[in-house]
């Protein structure tokens, strides 16, 4: 696909893939003096690190600042755990969050998309994030958990405090992180209290929602404790909301930016799933993942000491010519597309099927409802802090109805 001439300032999202490419060209593994971290930038080493949790731990608590309220969330939050605890918790939660449960959400996601787009039915210009990309995933998660509709708004409020990204600078240091944790502590406390109450309510009155199933799930005779369920709910909110919002916004931007994409997808809607994979490769919402080295190890010819922080760079790995043909080309027909945007190994994204399902339904509905969805001016597009997430914050679009 050829790239459209941009009208406005250089678009940040557009800069990211080149930035990652340049990073990768600096070498497969390198030490970043200013941050005191090892960066892993090529596909093979990124995959190797993610596949070896014994050497590269996901538990970063000894390297990160601590905050009391945040600590309560660490229980049940298995993305930051190693085996065997990780396996046990993931297995428990997997009982409730099965592929059938996810597939069963399709009609509800369709209805929600229709309802959200009906709300802008009389407008030719609207903000795609406000109208669709932001509310859709949060309502899906809240409904999944059995939260009553009148309380969905709470989830939206917490999500905006937790992921506004404004609390961090562009290259946050420890002090920034500590300040950010302090600032979000009251929100965390409020969420913790609310979710605990919801769990107690479901213990007394079970329904057919995920919360009730999490309460009942059992592995080796052991069940989840309330605080672990709260931690998992927080993880769902962190991992499942902003990332999906990002994917939807990034898809609309890239489809607009690479002229011909929209027409190609309308001519053959079955291509949409492959196009979504290419958006994921092109703009991973979380481009970097952290791991702690547990024992001295040699990686990419460098000796890494124990207890150092390693950042694996999914964005750079997704542009590795050793793994992708013409990685610098945005190609919606790319197949296979073994991007690492959902991670790799034991922590591979638990919600990937749900994110893909939401993206397919939402993007297809945009195509069905409108003859075109265009970004009239990139001057009006705003972006999230890329240190927090690679995504648009506001995306004014102009639509043409059939
Ligand atoms: C894990 C990305 C959507 C739930 C991960 C990881 C990545 C990721 C990179 C691995 C983290 C690591 O190894 O440290 C994404 C992206 C998404 C998305 C790009 C959307 C485009 C979702 C959704 C949910 C979800 C919709 C749930 C509703 C999770 C959970 C984990 C996880 C629970 C932890 C898995 C584990 O530690 O075993 N995600 N995610 N994600 N994701 Fe997603």
């Amino acid at each position: 696909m050829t790239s459209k001439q941009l009208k406005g300032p250089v678009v940040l999202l557009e800069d990211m893939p080149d930035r990652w490419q340049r990073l990768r060209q600096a070498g497969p593994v390198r030490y970043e003096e200013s941050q005191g971290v090892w960066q892993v930038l090529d596909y093979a080493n990124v995959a190797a690190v993610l596949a070896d949790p014994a050497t590269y731990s996901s538990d970063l608590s000894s390297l990160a600042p601590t905050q009391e309220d945040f600590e309560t969330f660490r229980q049940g939050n298995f993305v930051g755990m190693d085996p065997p605890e990780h396996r046990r918790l993931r297995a428990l939660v997997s009982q409730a969050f099965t592929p059938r449960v996810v597939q069963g959400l399709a009609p509800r996601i369709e209805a929600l998309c229709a309802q959200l787009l009906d709300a802008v039915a009389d407008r030719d210009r609207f903000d795609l994030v406000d109208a669709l990309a932001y509310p859709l995933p949060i309502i899906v998660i809240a409904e999944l958990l059995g939260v009553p509709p009148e309380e969905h708004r709470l989830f939206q409020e917490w999500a905006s405090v937790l992921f506004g990204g404004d609390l961090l600078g562009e290259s946050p240091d420890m002090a920034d992180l500590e300040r950010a944790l302090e600032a979000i502590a009251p929100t965390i406390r409020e969420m913790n209290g609310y979710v605990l109450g919801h769990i107690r309510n479901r213990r007394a009155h079970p329904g057919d929602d995920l919360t009730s199933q999490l309460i009942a799930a059992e592995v080796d005779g052991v069940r989840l404790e309330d605080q672990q369920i709260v931690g998992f709910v927080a993880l769902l909110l962190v991992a499942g909301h902003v990332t999906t919002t990002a994917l939807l916004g990034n898809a609309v931007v890239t489809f607009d930016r690479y002229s011909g994409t929209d027409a190609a997808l309308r001519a053959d809607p079955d291509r949409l799933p492959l196009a979504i994979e290419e958006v994921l490769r092109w703009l991973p919402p979380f481009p970097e993942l952290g791991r702690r080295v547990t024992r001295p190890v040699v990686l990419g010819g460098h000796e890494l000491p124990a207890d150092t922080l390693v950042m694996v760079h999914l964005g750079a790995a997704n542009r590795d010519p050793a793994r992708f043909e013409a990685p610098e080309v945005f190609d919606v027909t790319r197949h296979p597309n073994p991007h690492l945007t959902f991670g790799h190994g034991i922590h591979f994204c638990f919600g990937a099927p749900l994110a893909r399902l939401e993206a397919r339904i939402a993007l297809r509905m945009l195509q069905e409802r409108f003859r075109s969805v265009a970004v009239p001016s990139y001057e009006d597009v705003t972006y999230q802090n890329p240190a927090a997430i690679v995504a648009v914050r506001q995306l004014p679009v102009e639509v043409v109805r059939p």
Side-chain angles (χ1 to χ4, degrees):
M1 300 285 156
T2 53
S3 171
K4 250 197 224 177
Q5 200 56 40
L6 278 184
K7 286 182 226 149
V10 179
V11 174
L12 183 57
L13 281 182
E14 274 305 299
D15 277 352
M16 299 308 280
D18 286 347
R19 203 160 122 184
W20 295 327
Q21 176 129 331
R22 279 198 302 278
L23 252 181
R24 198 191 46 71
Q25 284 162 351
V29 177
R30 60 172 211 157
Y31 186 65
E32 179 62 57
E33 287 272 5
S34 62
Q35 294 168 318
V37 299
W38 285 92
Q39 285 188 323
V40 186
L41 301 158
D42 69 319
Y43 194 100
N45 280 313
V46 167
V49 167
L50 295 178
D52 182 2
T55 311
Y56 303 99
S57 164
S58 287
D59 181 356
L60 307 182
S61 51
S62 60
L63 301 178
T66 50
Q67 202 283 329
E68 203 185 316
D69 298 293
F70 203 70
E71 284 307 297
T72 54
F73 267 12
R74 290 177 37 79
Q75 301 175 45
N77 197 328
F78 54 81
V79 74
M81 291 178 189
D82 298 324
E85 211 183 354
H86 168 268
R87 189 201 63 81
R88 197 179 66 78
L89 277 175
R90 184 163 168 144
L92 270 166
V93 171
S94 303
Q95 288 183 4
F97 201 75
T98 59
R100 242 187 63 214
V101 168
V102 173
Q103 205 44 51
L105 292 171
R108 188 62 199 127
I109 297 172
E110 298 235 6
L112 273 172
C113 286
Q115 191 185 325
L116 292 167
L117 289 175
D118 283 348
V120 289
D122 56 344
R123 295 174 30 205
D124 294 334
R125 276 182 181 233
F126 57 86
D127 189 305
L128 190 101
V129 176
D130 286 349
L132 181 69
Y134 189 84
L136 178 66
I138 196 86
I139 298 175
V140 170
I141 292 172
E143 283 199 357
L144 199 62
L145 293 166
V147 170
E150 63 279 11
E151 285 163 18
H152 290 177
R153 157 192 76 71
L154 286 173
F155 275 59
Q156 300 210 22
E157 283 167 17
W158 298 328
S160 12
V161 176
L162 299 185
F163 316 117
D166 297 329
L167 300 164
L168 296 170
E170 274 227 24
S171 332
D173 57 18
M174 266 317 186
D176 291 329
L177 289 177
E178 270 171 34
R179 263 195 305 276
L181 282 183
E182 277 307 320
I184 62 178
T187 305
I188 291 192
R189 262 197 301 277
E190 188 187 328
M191 225 178 111
N192 205 35
Y194 174 89
V195 180
L196 269 178
H198 178 60
I199 295 167
R200 284 181 190 137
N201 180 294
R202 281 297 181 271
R203 261 194 208 289
H205 313 282
D208 57 1
D209 50 74
L210 186 62
T211 311
S212 307
Q213 285 154 12
L214 288 170
I215 291 168
E218 197 177 293
V219 163
D220 304 334
V222 182
R223 294 191 173 191
L224 286 164
E225 288 160 24
D226 284 1
Q227 194 54 51
Q228 291 175 318
I229 301 179
V230 176
F232 177 65
V233 169
L235 174 59
L236 277 187
L237 204 61
V238 176
H241 177 217
V242 275
T243 45
T244 312
T245 300
L247 170 59
L248 293 173
N250 293 350
V252 172
V253 167
T254 33
F255 293 174
D256 176 76
R257 180 80 172 79
Y258 292 93
S259 51
T261 306
D262 190 50
L265 295 179
R266 281 170 194 276
D268 183 359
D270 290 345
R271 283 188 190 174
L272 186 59
L274 287 190
I276 292 170
E277 295 310 301
E278 184 65 343
V279 172
L280 285 163
R281 181 185 77 88
W282 198 246
L283 291 172
F286 289 151
E288 290 176 65
L289 302 176
R291 294 292 189 264
R292 179 177 51 85
V293 179
T294 59
R295 56 182 175 219
V297 65
V298 176
L299 185 72
H302 299 270
E303 284 180 25
L304 277 54
D307 278 324
T308 39
L309 181 61
V310 166
M311 296 305 291
V312 298
H313 218 296
L314 309 181
N318 282 351
R319 309 272 295 193
D320 189 340
R323 197 70 176 86
F324 298 93
E325 205 173 302
E328 70 292 350
V329 177
F330 178 76
D331 175 4
V332 292
T333 62
R334 188 179 291 280
H335 184 67
N337 189 343
H339 64 74
L340 293 173
T341 299
F342 286 123
H344 176 72
I346 60 165
H347 291 281
F348 181 84
C349 177
F350 190 78
L354 178 58
R356 288 177 166 132
L357 184 69
E358 288 183 49
R360 284 175 198 175
I361 293 174
L363 295 169
R364 179 153 298 160
M365 197 169 289
L366 284 175
Q367 288 195 329
E368 284 166 1
R369 289 220 172 181
F370 308 115
R371 211 141 36 88
S372 71
V373 179
V375 182
S377 161
Y378 279 88
E379 302 268 13
D380 303 327
V381 179
T382 60
Y383 300 90
Q384 298 284 6
N385 179 352
I389 186 160
V390 172
V392 289
R393 182 189 296 253
Q394 282 171 309
L395 182 59
V397 293
E398 194 168 69
V399 296
V400 177
R401 289 164 206 284

